[in-house]
């Protein structure tokens, strides 16, 4: 089993900041990719940002220059620092990891439970 625990969502005003954190645990040999997705009401779940084990990052265009993703391989955590938040950033944010399992060697994908981010004045 692989578990993901997310934290850090909330209600903020436009222009403010939030930091999301996600910690992975369980049957993990290594983590290939760690990322954050978001899903607004009535819309599909889309990638926000991702970071590979080697540190390469990828961001959706709408958050470039405002959001920063980082990971700590030893602690199996991935953070998303969100600055200059806008109302259109409002969504449920989901942590996603692609891991190689310790006992089977299989590669599997896992999702966190989601954390609500609301940006409103």
């Amino acid at each position: 089993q692989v578990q993901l625990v997310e934290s850090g969502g909330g209600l903020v005003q436009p222009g403010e900041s939030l930091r999301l954190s996600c910690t992975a645990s369980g049957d993990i040999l290594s983590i290939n990719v760690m990322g954050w997705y978001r899903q607004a009401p009535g819309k599909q779940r889309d990638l926000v940002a991702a970071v590979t084990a080697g540190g390469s990052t990828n961001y959706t265009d709408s958050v470039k220059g405002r959001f920063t993703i980082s990971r700590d391989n030893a602690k199996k955590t991935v953070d998303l620092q969100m600055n200059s938040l806008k109302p259109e950033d409002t969504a449920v944010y989901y942590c996603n990891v692609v891991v190689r399992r310790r006992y089977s060697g299989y590669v599997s994908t896992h999702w966190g439970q989601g954390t609500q981010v609301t940006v409103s004045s």
Side-chain angles (χ1 to χ4, degrees), residues 62-82:
S62 63
V63 307
K64 287 180 180 178
R66 300 188 298 123
F67 291 11
T68 302
I69 191 169
S70 60
R71 64 186 279 174
D72 184 322
N73 291 328
K75 296 181 180 179
K76 298 185 179 66
T77 60
V78 59
D79 293 343
L80 185 67
Q81 177 66 42
M82 305 185 293

Side-chain angles (χ1 to χ4, degrees), residues 30-46:
S30 62
I31 303 178
N32 298 339
V33 181
M34 305 184 83
W36 289 93
Y37 287 69
R38 65 187 179 187
Q39 186 168 20
K43 296 188 176 181
Q44 66 180 19
R45 188 176 299 185
D46 292 324

Side-chain angles (χ1 to χ4, degrees), residues 25-109:
S25 63
D27 178 24
I28 299 172
L29 177 63
S30 62
I31 303 178
N32 298 339
V33 181
M34 305 184 83
W36 289 93
Y37 287 69
R38 65 187 179 187
Q39 186 168 20
K43 296 188 176 181
Q44 66 180 19
R45 188 176 299 185
D46 292 324
L47 175 69
V48 177
V51 56
T52 68
S56 297
T57 57
N58 181 38
Y59 297 90
T60 191
D61 286 345
S62 63
V63 307
K64 287 180 180 178
R66 300 188 298 123
F67 291 11
T68 302
I69 191 169
S70 60
R71 64 186 279 174
D72 184 322
N73 291 328
K75 296 181 180 179
K76 298 185 179 66
T77 60
V78 59
D79 293 343
L80 185 67
Q81 177 66 42
M82 305 185 293
N83 299 329
S84 302
L85 282 160
K86 303 175 180 180
E88 50 264 43
D89 294 318
T90 295
V92 178
Y93 284 69
Y94 296 90
C95 176
N96 173 271
V97 299
V98 179
V99 309
R100 184 170 297 280
R101 308 290 286 271
R102 178 178 300 277
Y103 296 106
S104 67
Y106 293 151
V107 175
S108 57
T109 299

